[in-house]
Amino acid sequence: MNQDQETLHIIVNPVAGHGQGPHFVEENVIPILRHLLIPYQIHTTSSPGDAGNIGQYLTRSFDGGATIRLAIVGGDGTFHELIEGVQDVTGIKWEVVLLPFGTANALFSSLFPPSTPLSPSSLDLISSMPFPLSDGIQHQLSSLFSYLTKSPSINLPITQTTLSTKAAICEKFSSHVVLSTSLHAAILHDSEALRESHPGTERFKIAAAQNASKLFYANVNLSSNSQAPSDVEQWDPNSQEWTRPFTISNSVSTKDDNHKEGSAEWYVKGPFSYFLSTSTVDRLEPTFMISPFTNLKSEGDQFIYVTMIRPFRDRFIPSSKIEERKDNLSKRAFEIVGSAYNAGSHVDLTYPASQAVVEGDDSRNGNGLETKGEGEPVVEVFRCTSFNWNPSIEQKSEGWEQGNNRLVCADGALHSIPEGGSAEVELRTQEKDTGFFVFA
Ligand SMILES: Nc1ncnc2c1ncn2[C@@H]1O[C@H](COP(=O)(O)OP(=O)(O)OP(=O)(O)O)[C@@H](O)[C@H]1O
């Protein structure tokens, strides 16, 4: 069968988020498509992974070199499963409409932050509809309107992760939103058990409380390939610029052909409490702006933005009394990561220039951090095009709790690095006319 390329294929996940996707499609999407005489087909997922099966089915229905237009009614996980399902299929351009019916909807929220105005052409289209659409519904339909008004779709960078031991590659997978370890991966792991009792984002907060007091032991190498416009760079909250990394060392120099002459692998020594990378989203929920420099809509170059917290750089943490260590680590993690809800201001936090630690001084506990000061950044933000996460052996020391340093989260899907192994993460080369594109 050779499909009509004008058909909009709608993949509906009936259990994502609060399970309201199917009703929304029936009530709002179909009436619009019918009014505009746009052919559509609905494909409802019947089990985990089914979005990938649907993607494979669609590729078999099209000739090579096709453009497949589809809408995803669900969350980031549903889109992730589609990408995973068709990652070995080449020569197809996937143009995707996002209908945010998952829990977090990180990609949609980053492309259409709350109160983003609709384009004039979308507003014209809405005013031509014979039925009213509330402001909230208009916002949920933002990506659909971009498609209907023929806005160009945006190329979506895809990250490839390889888990391997020294002897062999064990697993390869793709991600389009986030690749994380440490606290974020642990939150995703624990929050899954809470999905039924807490279908909204509050389950992430509960899981955060269970994991914020843990240390994740690993070492990381950051690098940039020869196509990258610059070597690895670090955000400097004081000068408000990207600069040569200054809180890590480049002791490992690369002689690899893939690296620019004079470029280096930058070495980051753990333990970590937080470690998250993304090349597409600035936020994980509508107001949780964890990676504020990532902007898919900007014309700029593609990077992986890495956001990390290494608690032992904070003198308040290692100097804590043994019985207060876990509690202090947890408080600090909440204080720092919580600033992401304040328009991503965590990236501007700095330690006092002189990190004198005074016993019993409560100002260290919150007020001790400064903003855009001359001390070192609290959150280290780097941009690169690849990195390795190498779990390491815990340094035994009383009062600390170790988290699972082999857990990796790819767009919410969890993977485990084999014992003694590592994770290698890199941006996939983007093609001009094939791969994934989103209407934004
Ligand atoms: N019919 C189904 N029954 C059970 N699970 C399903 C079904 N269809 C899809 N799934 C699973 O639902 C999971 C949740 O979907 P998705 O990740 O899109 O939503 P979410 O987790 O609520 O949102 P987000 O990823 O934005 O936080 C997917 O990982 C998928 O495996």
Side-chain angles (χ1 to χ4, degrees):
M1 173 177 52
N2 187 8
Q3 283 264 11
D4 170 8
Q5 294 207 16
E6 293 314 307
T7 299
L8 181 67
H9 293 272
I10 306 175
I11 299 184
V12 185
N13 178 339
V15 302
H18 291 80
Q20 291 168 345
H23 180 71
F24 185 87
V25 171
E26 199 65 42
E27 290 291 306
N28 299 291
V29 178
I30 292 176
I32 293 172
L33 298 177
R34 284 205 178 126
H35 174 69
L36 298 171
L37 304 176
I38 299 203
Y40 64 88
Q41 260 183 43
I42 293 186
H43 310 263
T44 303
T45 59
S46 58
S47 59
D50 203 25
N53 300 333
I54 294 167
Q56 285 176 16
Y57 159 78
L58 291 175
T59 59
R60 286 194 295 272
S61 313
F62 281 83
D63 289 337
T67 296
I68 301 180
R69 297 204 173 84
L70 52 82
I72 292 181
V73 186
D76 302 300
T78 308
F79 196 172
H80 174 81
E81 291 186 351
L82 169 80
I83 294 171
E84 280 281 274
V86 300
Q87 67 173 339
D88 296 329
V89 178
T90 53
I92 292 206
K93 179 173 185 180
W94 300 87
E95 284 196 306
V96 178
V97 169
L98 301 171
L99 288 152
F101 282 86
T103 307
N105 306 304
L107 184 57
F108 178 88
S109 306
S110 297
L111 293 169
F112 301 99
S115 68
T116 310
L118 286 161
S119 67
S121 49
S122 296
L123 291 171
D124 284 349
L125 182 67
I126 291 167
S127 61
S128 72
M129 296 287 162
F131 40 80
L133 294 167
S134 71
D135 287 352
I137 288 175
Q138 287 181 21
H139 184 249
Q140 288 170 308
L141 291 167
S142 301
S143 176
L144 180 70
F145 290 136
S146 293
Y147 157 67
L148 294 173
T149 55
K150 304 201 183 320
S151 298
S153 53
I154 298 178
N155 202 332
L156 189 66
I158 304 290
T159 301
Q160 179 87 47
T161 300
T162 307
L163 306 186
S164 51
T165 60
K166 286 200 174 71
I169 289 176
C170 306
E171 202 183 345
K172 278 188 181 212
F173 48 88
S174 307
S175 53
H176 72 297
V177 171
V178 62
L179 193 290
S180 70
T181 64
S182 307
L183 178 56
H184 181 259
I187 289 172
L188 266 291
H189 179 268
D190 287 10
S191 68
E192 214 37 50
L194 300 164
R195 184 182 277 273
E196 230 166 81
S197 56
H198 298 82
T201 52
E202 69 275 17
R203 71 171 180 271
F204 301 132
K205 294 202 174 86
I206 299 170
Q210 293 166 3
N211 290 287
S213 61
K214 295 178 184 168
L215 291 170
F216 298 83
Y217 283 84
N219 299 314
V220 170
N221 293 316
L222 306 170
S223 52
S224 279
N225 64 26
S226 53
Q227 279 88 47
S230 61
D231 203 346
V232 177
E233 290 185 308
Q234 179 170 11
W235 177 251
D236 181 349
N238 188 245
S239 66
Q240 296 282 293
E241 282 174 348
W242 290 101
T243 62
R244 183 179 162 83
F246 53 92
T247 59
I248 56 176
S249 67
N250 63 344
S251 51
V252 188
S253 62
T254 55
K255 296 183 179 73
D256 186 323
D257 285 351
N258 290 329
H259 292 79
K260 288 189 299 253
E261 208 180 321
S263 70
E265 272 192 3
W266 292 83
Y267 178 70
V268 194
K269 187 176 182 318
F272 299 82
S273 62
Y274 197 88
F275 186 96
L276 179 137
S277 75
T278 177
S279 41
T280 57
V281 301
D282 65 1
R283 63 197 74 209
L284 298 182
E285 298 166 20
T287 57
F288 184 64
M289 199 188 274
I290 193 68
S291 185
F293 305 112
T294 317
N295 184 354
L296 199 50
K297 283 183 174 172
S298 82
E299 295 280 299
D301 301 295
Q302 305 292 354
F303 295 100
I304 299 177
Y305 291 83
V306 182
T307 302
M308 59 177 83
I309 301 173
R310 291 189 288 157
F312 284 2
R313 295 176 57 248
D314 181 345
R315 297 249 312 260
F316 167 54
I317 298 299
S319 65
S320 304
K321 292 190 188 119
I322 289 173
E323 64 277 14
E324 291 174 354
R325 286 182 169 172
K326 278 169 46 176
D327 203 32
N328 286 347
L329 187 58
S330 178
K331 275 191 206 146
R332 203 52 140 183
F334 268 97
E335 176 191 355
I336 300 167
V337 178
S339 306
Y341 284 103
N342 180 22
S345 63
H346 58 298
V347 298
D348 287 332
L349 292 173
T350 46
Y351 294 116
S354 143
Q355 273 203 24
V357 174
V358 184
E359 272 302 316
D361 174 6
D362 282 345
S363 69
R364 289 169 296 155
N365 204 348
N367 298 335
L369 302 181
E370 299 175 351
T371 297
K372 301 181 190 173
E374 291 186 354
E376 290 212 350
V378 174
V379 179
E380 296 167 281
V381 184
F382 299 96
R383 55 186 195 186
C384 59
T385 60
S386 62
F387 67 86
N388 289 316
W389 170 269
N390 307 294
S392 60
I393 308 290
E394 176 191 5
Q395 310 296 308
K396 287 268 181 255
S397 177
E398 235 183 313
W400 303 116
E401 185 180 8
Q402 190 184 13
N404 181 353
N405 55 356
R406 292 197 280 130
L407 197 61
V408 173
C409 163
D411 300 342
L414 294 160
H415 301 260
S416 188
I417 299 172
E419 190 121 29
S422 65
E424 168 125 13
V425 182
E426 60 187 338
L427 267 182
R428 254 203 229 158
T429 314
Q430 283 183 301
E431 306 293 337
K432 204 165 145 273
D433 295 317
T434 58
F436 288 90
F437 293 71
V438 281
F439 286 103

